[in-house]
PDB file of all heavy atoms in Angstrom:
ATOM      1  N   HIS A 196       2.107   1.944 -18.690  1.00 86.00           N
ATOM      2  CA  HIS A 196       2.366   3.219 -17.974  1.00 86.00           C
ATOM      3  C   HIS A 196       1.300   3.435 -16.949  1.00 86.00           C
ATOM      4  O   HIS A 196       0.356   2.603 -16.796  1.00 86.00           O
ATOM      5  CB  HIS A 196       2.523   4.356 -18.928  1.00 86.00           C
ATOM      6  CG  HIS A 196       1.183   4.653 -19.667  1.00 86.00           C
ATOM      7  ND1 HIS A 196       0.733   3.928 -20.694  1.00 86.00           N
ATOM      8  CD2 HIS A 196       0.277   5.628 -19.478  1.00 86.00           C
ATOM      9  CE1 HIS A 196      -0.412   4.476 -21.112  1.00 86.00           C
ATOM     10  NE2 HIS A 196      -0.692   5.461 -20.338  1.00 86.00           N
ATOM     11  N   CYS A 197       1.325   4.526 -16.233  1.00 89.00           N
ATOM     12  CA  CYS A 197       0.306   4.889 -15.213  1.00 89.00           C
ATOM     13  C   CYS A 197      -0.969   5.274 -15.983  1.00 89.00           C
ATOM     14  O   CYS A 197      -0.908   6.196 -16.781  1.00 89.00           O
ATOM     15  CB  CYS A 197       0.788   6.120 -14.391  1.00 89.00           C
ATOM     16  SG  CYS A 197       2.152   5.771 -13.363  1.00 89.00           S
ATOM     17  N   SER A 198      -2.035   4.585 -15.630  1.00 86.00           N
ATOM     18  CA  SER A 198      -3.346   5.024 -16.186  1.00 86.00           C
ATOM     19  C   SER A 198      -3.745   6.436 -15.673  1.00 86.00           C
ATOM     20  O   SER A 198      -3.437   6.801 -14.539  1.00 86.00           O
ATOM     21  CB  SER A 198      -4.410   4.036 -15.766  1.00 86.00           C
ATOM     22  OG  SER A 198      -5.670   4.473 -16.082  1.00 86.00           O
ATOM     23  N   LEU A 199      -4.398   7.194 -16.542  1.00 86.00           N
ATOM     24  CA  LEU A 199      -4.830   8.520 -16.192  1.00 86.00           C
ATOM     25  C   LEU A 199      -6.344   8.411 -15.792  1.00 86.00           C
ATOM     26  O   LEU A 199      -7.037   9.474 -15.934  1.00 86.00           O
ATOM     27  CB  LEU A 199      -4.562   9.512 -17.290  1.00 86.00           C
ATOM     28  CG  LEU A 199      -3.099   9.764 -17.708  1.00 86.00           C
ATOM     29  CD1 LEU A 199      -3.035  10.806 -18.718  1.00 86.00           C
ATOM     30  CD2 LEU A 199      -2.255  10.002 -16.472  1.00 86.00           C
ATOM     31  N   TYR A 201      -7.791   8.342 -13.210  1.00 87.00           N
ATOM     32  CA  TYR A 201      -8.244   9.194 -12.061  1.00 87.00           C
ATOM     33  C   TYR A 201      -8.827  10.504 -12.509  1.00 87.00           C
ATOM     34  O   TYR A 201      -9.466  11.160 -11.686  1.00 87.00           O
ATOM     35  CB  TYR A 201      -7.017   9.426 -11.080  1.00 87.00           C
ATOM     36  CG  TYR A 201      -5.793  10.050 -11.785  1.00 87.00           C
ATOM     37  CD1 TYR A 201      -5.725  11.458 -11.974  1.00 87.00           C
ATOM     38  CD2 TYR A 201      -4.739   9.226 -12.179  1.00 87.00           C
ATOM     39  CE1 TYR A 201      -4.542  11.955 -12.621  1.00 87.00           C
ATOM     40  CE2 TYR A 201      -3.594   9.738 -12.813  1.00 87.00           C
ATOM     41  CZ  TYR A 201      -3.531  11.113 -13.020  1.00 87.00           C
ATOM     42  OH  TYR A 201      -2.388  11.650 -13.617  1.00 87.00           O
ATOM     43  N   PHE A 212      -7.359   8.811  -3.606  1.00 90.00           N
ATOM     44  CA  PHE A 212      -6.398   8.251  -4.543  1.00 90.00           C
ATOM     45  C   PHE A 212      -5.054   9.038  -4.512  1.00 90.00           C
ATOM     46  O   PHE A 212      -3.951   8.383  -4.483  1.00 90.00           O
ATOM     47  CB  PHE A 212      -6.961   8.343  -5.988  1.00 90.00           C
ATOM     48  CG  PHE A 212      -5.974   7.988  -7.080  1.00 90.00           C
ATOM     49  CD1 PHE A 212      -5.829   6.700  -7.378  1.00 90.00           C
ATOM     50  CD2 PHE A 212      -5.202   8.916  -7.775  1.00 90.00           C
ATOM     51  CE1 PHE A 212      -4.913   6.246  -8.408  1.00 90.00           C
ATOM     52  CE2 PHE A 212      -4.295   8.513  -8.723  1.00 90.00           C
ATOM     53  CZ  PHE A 212      -4.165   7.215  -9.004  1.00 90.00           C
ATOM     54  N   GLY A 215      -3.062   7.861  -1.575  1.00 91.00           N
ATOM     55  CA  GLY A 215      -2.365   6.612  -1.859  1.00 91.00           C
ATOM     56  C   GLY A 215      -1.160   6.809  -2.662  1.00 91.00           C
ATOM     57  O   GLY A 215      -0.149   6.095  -2.423  1.00 91.00           O
ATOM     58  N   VAL A 216      -1.124   7.681  -3.673  1.00 93.00           N
ATOM     59  CA  VAL A 216       0.052   8.023  -4.438  1.00 93.00           C
ATOM     60  C   VAL A 216       1.112   8.592  -3.469  1.00 93.00           C
ATOM     61  O   VAL A 216       2.341   8.261  -3.587  1.00 93.00           O
ATOM     62  CB  VAL A 216      -0.277   8.983  -5.593  1.00 93.00           C
ATOM     63  CG1 VAL A 216       1.022   9.465  -6.253  1.00 93.00           C
ATOM     64  CG2 VAL A 216      -1.189   8.231  -6.522  1.00 93.00           C
ATOM     65  N   VAL A 220       4.717   6.715  -3.147  1.00 93.00           N
ATOM     66  CA  VAL A 220       5.958   7.380  -3.680  1.00 93.00           C
ATOM     67  C   VAL A 220       6.858   7.733  -2.584  1.00 93.00           C
ATOM     68  O   VAL A 220       8.022   7.337  -2.474  1.00 93.00           O
ATOM     69  CB  VAL A 220       5.590   8.592  -4.588  1.00 93.00           C
ATOM     70  CG1 VAL A 220       6.936   9.390  -4.946  1.00 93.00           C
ATOM     71  CG2 VAL A 220       4.915   8.114  -5.823  1.00 93.00           C
ATOM     72  N   PHE A 242       3.103  18.244  -2.149  1.00 95.00           N
ATOM     73  CA  PHE A 242       2.065  17.438  -2.781  1.00 95.00           C
ATOM     74  C   PHE A 242       0.884  17.352  -1.809  1.00 95.00           C
ATOM     75  O   PHE A 242      -0.276  17.313  -2.290  1.00 95.00           O
ATOM     76  CB  PHE A 242       2.632  16.068  -3.121  1.00 95.00           C
ATOM     77  CG  PHE A 242       1.733  15.172  -3.871  1.00 95.00           C
ATOM     78  CD1 PHE A 242       1.449  15.481  -5.225  1.00 95.00           C
ATOM     79  CD2 PHE A 242       1.145  14.071  -3.316  1.00 95.00           C
ATOM     80  CE1 PHE A 242       0.639  14.700  -5.935  1.00 95.00           C
ATOM     81  CE2 PHE A 242       0.256  13.342  -4.027  1.00 95.00           C
ATOM     82  CZ  PHE A 242      -0.007  13.584  -5.354  1.00 95.00           C
ATOM     83  N   GLY A 277      -0.880  18.111 -10.416  1.00 95.00           N
ATOM     84  CA  GLY A 277       0.099  17.492  -9.565  1.00 95.00           C
ATOM     85  C   GLY A 277       0.197  15.950  -9.839  1.00 95.00           C
ATOM     86  O   GLY A 277       1.329  15.384  -9.839  1.00 95.00           O
ATOM     87  N   LEU A 278      -0.971  15.404  -9.838  1.00 95.00           N
ATOM     88  CA  LEU A 278      -0.997  13.917 -10.154  1.00 95.00           C
ATOM     89  C   LEU A 278      -0.377  13.543 -11.505  1.00 95.00           C
ATOM     90  O   LEU A 278       0.273  12.583 -11.671  1.00 95.00           O
ATOM     91  CB  LEU A 278      -2.473  13.386 -10.007  1.00 95.00           C
ATOM     92  CG  LEU A 278      -2.925  13.162  -8.638  1.00 95.00           C
ATOM     93  CD1 LEU A 278      -4.458  12.979  -8.625  1.00 95.00           C
ATOM     94  CD2 LEU A 278      -2.231  11.970  -7.903  1.00 95.00           C
ATOM     95  N   ASP A 279      -0.706  14.462 -12.504  1.00 94.00           N
ATOM     96  CA  ASP A 279      -0.228  14.162 -13.843  1.00 94.00           C
ATOM     97  C   ASP A 279       1.293  14.207 -13.862  1.00 94.00           C
ATOM     98  O   ASP A 279       1.929  13.401 -14.475  1.00 94.00           O
ATOM     99  CB  ASP A 279      -0.745  15.254 -14.809  1.00 94.00           C
ATOM    100  CG  ASP A 279      -2.270  14.959 -15.148  1.00 94.00           C
ATOM    101  OD1 ASP A 279      -2.711  13.884 -14.827  1.00 94.00           O
ATOM    102  OD2 ASP A 279      -2.853  15.848 -15.690  1.00 94.00           O
ATOM    103  N   LYS A 280       1.898  15.183 -13.165  1.00 95.00           N
ATOM    104  CA  LYS A 280       3.397  15.248 -13.134  1.00 95.00           C
ATOM    105  C   LYS A 280       3.924  14.108 -12.349  1.00 95.00           C
ATOM    106  O   LYS A 280       4.984  13.553 -12.699  1.00 95.00           O
ATOM    107  CB  LYS A 280       3.741  16.609 -12.440  1.00 95.00           C
ATOM    108  CG  LYS A 280       3.639  17.798 -13.257  1.00 95.00           C
ATOM    109  CD  LYS A 280       4.303  19.068 -12.663  1.00 95.00           C
ATOM    110  CE  LYS A 280       4.270  20.196 -13.657  1.00 95.00           C
ATOM    111  NZ  LYS A 280       4.860  21.448 -13.041  1.00 95.00           N
ATOM    112  N   MET A 281       3.208  13.673 -11.290  1.00 95.00           N
ATOM    113  CA  MET A 281       3.665  12.496 -10.473  1.00 95.00           C
ATOM    114  C   MET A 281       3.624  11.255 -11.365  1.00 95.00           C
ATOM    115  O   MET A 281       4.572  10.374 -11.346  1.00 95.00           O
ATOM    116  CB  MET A 281       2.818  12.331  -9.261  1.00 95.00           C
ATOM    117  CG  MET A 281       3.463  11.426  -8.255  1.00 95.00           C
ATOM    118  SD  MET A 281       4.905  12.149  -7.456  1.00 95.00           S
ATOM    119  CE  MET A 281       4.149  13.157  -6.179  1.00 95.00           C
ATOM    120  N   ALA A 282       2.535  11.052 -12.176  1.00 94.00           N
ATOM    121  CA  ALA A 282       2.449   9.931 -13.058  1.00 94.00           C
ATOM    122  C   ALA A 282       3.524   9.870 -14.064  1.00 94.00           C
ATOM    123  O   ALA A 282       4.158   8.802 -14.354  1.00 94.00           O
ATOM    124  CB  ALA A 282       1.124   9.949 -13.768  1.00 94.00           C
ATOM    125  N   THR A 283       3.916  11.078 -14.637  1.00 94.00           N
ATOM    126  CA  THR A 283       5.017  11.108 -15.593  1.00 94.00           C
ATOM    127  C   THR A 283       6.372  10.706 -14.977  1.00 94.00           C
ATOM    128  O   THR A 283       7.130  10.018 -15.492  1.00 94.00           O
ATOM    129  CB  THR A 283       5.138  12.598 -16.137  1.00 94.00           C
ATOM    130  OG1 THR A 283       3.936  12.887 -16.859  1.00 94.00           O
ATOM    131  CG2 THR A 283       6.283  12.660 -17.166  1.00 94.00           C
ATOM    132  N   VAL A 285       6.621   8.719 -12.249  1.00 94.00           N
ATOM    133  CA  VAL A 285       6.651   7.252 -11.943  1.00 94.00           C
ATOM    134  C   VAL A 285       6.855   6.490 -13.170  1.00 94.00           C
ATOM    135  O   VAL A 285       7.606   5.466 -13.193  1.00 94.00           O
ATOM    136  CB  VAL A 285       5.310   6.922 -11.254  1.00 94.00           C
ATOM    137  CG1 VAL A 285       5.120   5.342 -11.208  1.00 94.00           C
ATOM    138  CG2 VAL A 285       5.188   7.513  -9.906  1.00 94.00           C
ATOM    139  N   GLU A 293       5.083  -3.004 -14.091  1.00 83.00           N
ATOM    140  CA  GLU A 293       3.805  -2.866 -13.466  1.00 83.00           C
ATOM    141  C   GLU A 293       3.894  -2.822 -11.876  1.00 83.00           C
ATOM    142  O   GLU A 293       3.081  -2.137 -11.300  1.00 83.00           O
ATOM    143  CB  GLU A 293       2.966  -4.081 -13.805  1.00 83.00           C
ATOM    144  CG  GLU A 293       2.647  -4.220 -15.327  1.00 83.00           C
ATOM    145  CD  GLU A 293       1.984  -5.546 -15.650  1.00 83.00           C
ATOM    146  OE1 GLU A 293       1.965  -6.381 -14.742  1.00 83.00           O
ATOM    147  OE2 GLU A 293       1.434  -5.704 -16.688  1.00 83.00           O
ATOM    148  N   ILE A 295       6.258  -1.541 -10.009  1.00 89.00           N
ATOM    149  CA  ILE A 295       6.670  -0.191  -9.535  1.00 89.00           C
ATOM    150  C   ILE A 295       5.500   0.732  -9.652  1.00 89.00           C
ATOM    151  O   ILE A 295       5.267   1.610  -8.785  1.00 89.00           O
ATOM    152  CB  ILE A 295       7.916   0.278 -10.286  1.00 89.00           C
ATOM    153  CG1 ILE A 295       9.096  -0.686  -9.929  1.00 89.00           C
ATOM    154  CG2 ILE A 295       8.204   1.688  -9.974  1.00 89.00           C
ATOM    155  CD1 ILE A 295      10.319  -0.312 -10.637  1.00 89.00           C
ATOM    156  N   ILE A 296       4.796   0.698 -10.805  1.00 90.00           N
ATOM    157  CA  ILE A 296       3.619   1.536 -10.995  1.00 90.00           C
ATOM    158  C   ILE A 296       2.603   1.395  -9.847  1.00 90.00           C
ATOM    159  O   ILE A 296       2.052   2.338  -9.307  1.00 90.00           O
ATOM    160  CB  ILE A 296       3.003   1.310 -12.313  1.00 90.00           C
ATOM    161  CG1 ILE A 296       3.882   1.794 -13.477  1.00 90.00           C
ATOM    162  CG2 ILE A 296       1.595   2.046 -12.480  1.00 90.00           C
ATOM    163  CD1 ILE A 296       3.457   1.462 -14.818  1.00 90.00           C
ATOM    164  N   MET A 297       2.327   0.116  -9.508  1.00 88.00           N
ATOM    165  CA  MET A 297       1.330  -0.202  -8.477  1.00 88.00           C
ATOM    166  C   MET A 297       1.833   0.152  -7.108  1.00 88.00           C
ATOM    167  O   MET A 297       1.144   0.695  -6.249  1.00 88.00           O
ATOM    168  CB  MET A 297       0.962  -1.640  -8.457  1.00 88.00           C
ATOM    169  CG  MET A 297       0.012  -2.027  -9.669  1.00 88.00           C
ATOM    170  SD  MET A 297      -0.669  -3.681  -9.490  1.00 88.00           S
ATOM    171  CE  MET A 297       0.823  -4.632  -9.762  1.00 88.00           C
ATOM    172  N   LEU A 298       3.210  -0.009  -6.879  1.00 90.00           N
ATOM    173  CA  LEU A 298       3.796   0.433  -5.640  1.00 90.00           C
ATOM    174  C   LEU A 298       3.540   1.936  -5.396  1.00 90.00           C
ATOM    175  O   LEU A 298       3.477   2.450  -4.242  1.00 90.00           O
ATOM    176  CB  LEU A 298       5.269   0.082  -5.632  1.00 90.00           C
ATOM    177  CG  LEU A 298       6.104   0.348  -4.352  1.00 90.00           C
ATOM    178  CD1 LEU A 298       5.587  -0.548  -3.186  1.00 90.00           C
ATOM    179  CD2 LEU A 298       7.505   0.116  -4.543  1.00 90.00           C
ATOM    180  N   ALA A 299       3.599   2.748  -6.522  1.00 92.00           N
ATOM    181  CA  ALA A 299       3.360   4.148  -6.408  1.00 92.00           C
ATOM    182  C   ALA A 299       1.956   4.568  -6.204  1.00 92.00           C
ATOM    183  O   ALA A 299       1.650   5.770  -6.002  1.00 92.00           O
ATOM    184  CB  ALA A 299       3.937   4.770  -7.693  1.00 92.00           C
ATOM    185  N   GLY A 300       1.040   3.591  -6.227  1.00 90.00           N
ATOM    186  CA  GLY A 300      -0.346   3.907  -5.985  1.00 90.00           C
ATOM    187  C   GLY A 300      -1.100   4.215  -7.297  1.00 90.00           C
ATOM    188  O   GLY A 300      -2.324   4.438  -7.227  1.00 90.00           O
ATOM    189  N   PHE A 301      -0.497   4.078  -8.463  1.00 89.00           N
ATOM    190  CA  PHE A 301      -1.168   4.226  -9.750  1.00 89.00           C
ATOM    191  C   PHE A 301      -1.605   2.850 -10.174  1.00 89.00           C
ATOM    192  O   PHE A 301      -1.215   1.756  -9.753  1.00 89.00           O
ATOM    193  CB  PHE A 301      -0.261   4.887 -10.762  1.00 89.00           C
ATOM    194  CG  PHE A 301      -0.041   6.324 -10.528  1.00 89.00           C
ATOM    195  CD1 PHE A 301       1.119   6.727  -9.887  1.00 89.00           C
ATOM    196  CD2 PHE A 301      -0.931   7.240 -10.945  1.00 89.00           C
ATOM    197  CE1 PHE A 301       1.327   8.134  -9.670  1.00 89.00           C
ATOM    198  CE2 PHE A 301      -0.772   8.628 -10.685  1.00 89.00           C
ATOM    199  CZ  PHE A 301       0.391   9.037 -10.021  1.00 89.00           C
ATOM    200  N   VAL A 302      -2.500   2.866 -11.333  1.00 86.00           N
ATOM    201  CA  VAL A 302      -2.979   1.685 -11.939  1.00 86.00           C
ATOM    202  C   VAL A 302      -2.174   1.526 -13.277  1.00 86.00           C
ATOM    203  O   VAL A 302      -2.199   2.452 -14.100  1.00 86.00           O
ATOM    204  CB  VAL A 302      -4.467   1.759 -12.205  1.00 86.00           C
ATOM    205  CG1 VAL A 302      -4.966   0.529 -12.920  1.00 86.00           C
ATOM    206  CG2 VAL A 302      -5.258   1.964 -10.928  1.00 86.00           C
ATOM    207  N   PRO A 303      -1.541   0.326 -13.483  1.00 84.00           N
ATOM    208  CA  PRO A 303      -0.838   0.190 -14.779  1.00 84.00           C
ATOM    209  C   PRO A 303      -1.780  -0.142 -15.861  1.00 84.00           C
ATOM    210  O   PRO A 303      -2.757  -0.820 -15.721  1.00 84.00           O
ATOM    211  CB  PRO A 303       0.122  -0.987 -14.479  1.00 84.00           C
ATOM    212  CG  PRO A 303      -0.620  -1.778 -13.436  1.00 84.00           C
ATOM    213  CD  PRO A 303      -1.328  -0.745 -12.558  1.00 84.00           C
ATOM    214  N   HIS A 341      -3.696  -0.480  -1.845  1.00 68.00           N
ATOM    215  CA  HIS A 341      -4.814   0.132  -2.386  1.00 68.00           C
ATOM    216  C   HIS A 341      -5.910  -0.914  -2.827  1.00 68.00           C
ATOM    217  O   HIS A 341      -5.923  -2.025  -2.318  1.00 68.00           O
ATOM    218  CB  HIS A 341      -4.478   1.034  -3.555  1.00 68.00           C
ATOM    219  CG  HIS A 341      -3.315   1.975  -3.116  1.00 68.00           C
ATOM    220  ND1 HIS A 341      -3.413   2.899  -2.057  1.00 68.00           N
ATOM    221  CD2 HIS A 341      -1.998   1.975  -3.558  1.00 68.00           C
ATOM    222  CE1 HIS A 341      -2.251   3.445  -1.943  1.00 68.00           C
ATOM    223  NE2 HIS A 341      -1.407   3.000  -2.768  1.00 68.00           N
TER     224      HIS A 341
END
Side-chain angles (χ1 to χ4, degrees):
H196 66 281
C197 295
S198 168
L199 302 183
Y201 55 82
F212 176 80
V216 170
V220 171
F242 188 70
L278 281 167
D279 288 346
K280 284 190 177 180
M281 196 71 83
T283 299
V285 170
E293 297 172 348
I295 292 177
I296 291 171
M297 288 190 292
L298 185 64
F301 287 98
V302 177
H341 314 296

